[in-house]
Amino acid sequence: MTEHTDSSVGHNATTDSGAPAESGPIDVPPEYREEEHYEEHKSTRQRLVEGLLTDKMALFGAVVVVLFVLVAVFAPVVAPHDPEATFGFMKAPNSHSVGNYDGAPGTESVWHPLGTDSFGHDILSRMIYGARVSLLVALSTVAVAFTLGTSIGLLAGFYGGWVDSVLMRYVDFQWAFPELILGVGIIAISGGLGITNVVIAIGIAYIDDFARLVRGEVLSLREEEYVMAARAIGMTDKRIMTREILPNAVAPLIVQATLMIPLAILAEAGLSFLGLGVKPTTPTWGLLLSDGRQFIGEAWWISVMPGLAIMLTVLAFNMLGDGLRDIFDVSDGEVESR
């Protein structure tokens, strides 16, 4: 009698060795299923563009910052008048001065959208030229603080030991002084007014912020495997710090630099307001504020207009800095979505 084997039991069949035969896919209950998420790697440029388009406040800040830079760079083209040209004294906003101002026969009417100051200077023109000085001081100050602070933090975090102790004790000593007081002291030691002394004073005053940030980043990065591999192949300490560690700490440094620019603008305005900044003939927002304080009752616009410009610019840089911090924060973006 011939045995008949039903093919329907193929899924439960076993091999000659007793091991279970290959079976089809197992139907897993829905509550135990896990969906795999794959996220495409995004470049820094892609993350920056997408982040700004998503964060409206950061986008507003970026637009204002770009306008501020363009106005500062093209001040001679944008400004309606020469900053040293004189018209009617303390003209109110949206007023006109009538006189012979171009040397041609007859009189002309000149419009002052933001009014004139106590010397007859057009406030809008001086504010536009003042934006150039503010931008120059802010960028130069951040460059000085970035270079010196990054160097101190990089050396302290990489070598540790007595190098870290000496450098960070200096940073702690500087941290104890308010930035404005320290800036005043440095200007007094340098002995004179001028943009160069202001840049040096404010730049040195903000070294500690970059030094602390870089040191913290280096302490975590120096134990990474790629740093150990660089040591193993005989790479020099200088090359490891500049080629391996520093590029991986750039993102927080960019955010810190963006947040330092408005602080530098405020510091320059404060020093100029106190008469310790640039020369009195240089148009800056701080000097405009200082010149108008004694006329605040009868010509409020002399101080209010540059004050509003400072407020808007600082607010825009802060919004942009907060947006960049969220964009470069991987833990809040890519990690969470996975």
Side-chain angles (χ1 to χ4, degrees):
M1 188 174 184
T2 305
E3 294 183 359
H4 176 70
T5 303
D6 193 352
S7 61
S8 62
V9 297
H11 288 297
N12 298 325
T14 59
T15 60
D16 295 339
S17 60
E22 294 184 0
S23 60
I26 301 175
D27 188 13
V28 180
E31 59 269 18
Y32 295 104
R33 295 177 184 174
E34 293 184 1
E35 297 183 1
E36 295 183 354
H37 298 276
Y38 298 95
E39 185 171 333
E40 183 182 357
H41 175 72
K42 298 179 181 178
S43 64
T44 303
R45 181 179 178 181
Q46 290 175 328
R47 294 177 61 183
L48 183 62
V49 173
E50 293 181 4
L52 290 178
L53 293 178
T54 303
D55 191 345
K56 302 302 181 184
M57 300 297 289
L59 181 61
F60 171 78
V63 171
V64 174
V65 168
V66 171
L67 291 177
F68 168 70
V69 173
L70 292 177
V71 168
V73 172
F74 299 101
V77 179
V78 178
H81 309 290
D82 186 273
E84 301 299 328
T86 57
F87 304 96
F89 298 104
M90 290 193 291
K91 290 285 186 177
N94 195 27
S95 61
H96 292 77
S97 294
V98 179
N100 185 3
Y101 301 113
D102 56 1
T107 60
E108 61 176 325
S109 178
V110 178
W111 179 45
H112 307 292
L114 301 183
T116 62
D117 60 14
S118 58
F119 297 98
H121 300 140
D122 183 73
I123 292 179
L124 177 60
S125 300
R126 292 184 69 81
M127 284 178 56
I128 292 175
Y129 276 88
R132 167 175 285 191
V133 177
S134 298
L135 179 63
L136 175 62
V137 170
L139 294 181
S140 302
T141 296
V142 171
V144 171
F146 181 93
T147 303
L148 298 179
T150 300
S151 301
I152 293 175
L154 194 59
L155 293 173
F158 185 80
Y159 288 110
W162 68 268
V163 176
D164 183 27
S165 299
V166 171
L167 293 178
M168 294 315 295
R169 292 302 74 76
Y170 162 73
V171 172
D172 292 338
F173 176 78
Q174 181 174 323
W175 187 274
F177 289 90
E179 285 82 1
L180 188 60
I181 302 300
L182 185 60
V184 171
I186 296 174
I187 289 179
I189 295 174
S190 60
L193 304 178
I195 294 179
T196 302
N197 291 336
V198 171
V199 168
I200 295 175
I202 303 176
I204 293 177
Y206 287 123
I207 285 177
D208 47 2
D209 296 287
F210 285 99
R212 286 176 173 270
L213 176 63
V214 174
R215 176 181 177 271
E217 292 292 325
V218 173
L219 287 176
S220 61
L221 292 175
R222 69 179 184 179
E223 305 300 332
E224 295 291 336
E225 294 181 356
Y226 61 86
V227 176
M228 297 181 181
R231 291 180 184 273
I233 63 176
M235 195 175 288
T236 62
D237 291 348
K238 180 181 178 182
R239 188 176 179 87
I240 293 175
M241 287 187 288
T242 57
R243 297 294 184 87
E244 302 296 333
I245 295 179
L246 189 57
N248 289 283
V250 166
L253 287 176
I254 294 175
V255 176
Q256 183 68 21
T258 306
L259 295 174
M260 278 296 167
I261 290 178
L263 295 179
I265 294 176
L266 287 175
E268 183 276 325
L271 291 174
S272 297
F273 183 83
L274 296 174
L276 299 173
V278 298
K279 297 180 179 179
T281 56
T282 306
T284 67
W285 292 347
L287 283 178
L288 288 174
L289 281 169
S290 179
D291 293 339
R293 58 182 173 179
Q294 56 184 329
F295 305 105
I296 193 67
E298 51 187 325
W300 54 267
W301 55 88
I302 300 178
S303 294
V304 170
M305 296 305 177
L308 291 176
I310 294 174
M311 181 192 71
L312 180 61
T313 304
V314 171
L315 182 63
F317 272 105
N318 285 335
M319 289 180 178
L320 178 60
D322 290 339
L324 291 178
R325 180 171 54 196
D326 295 338
I327 291 171
F328 290 122
D329 189 0
V330 180
S331 62
D332 290 340
E334 296 178 353
V335 176
E336 225 174 69
S337 62
R338 293 177 187 178

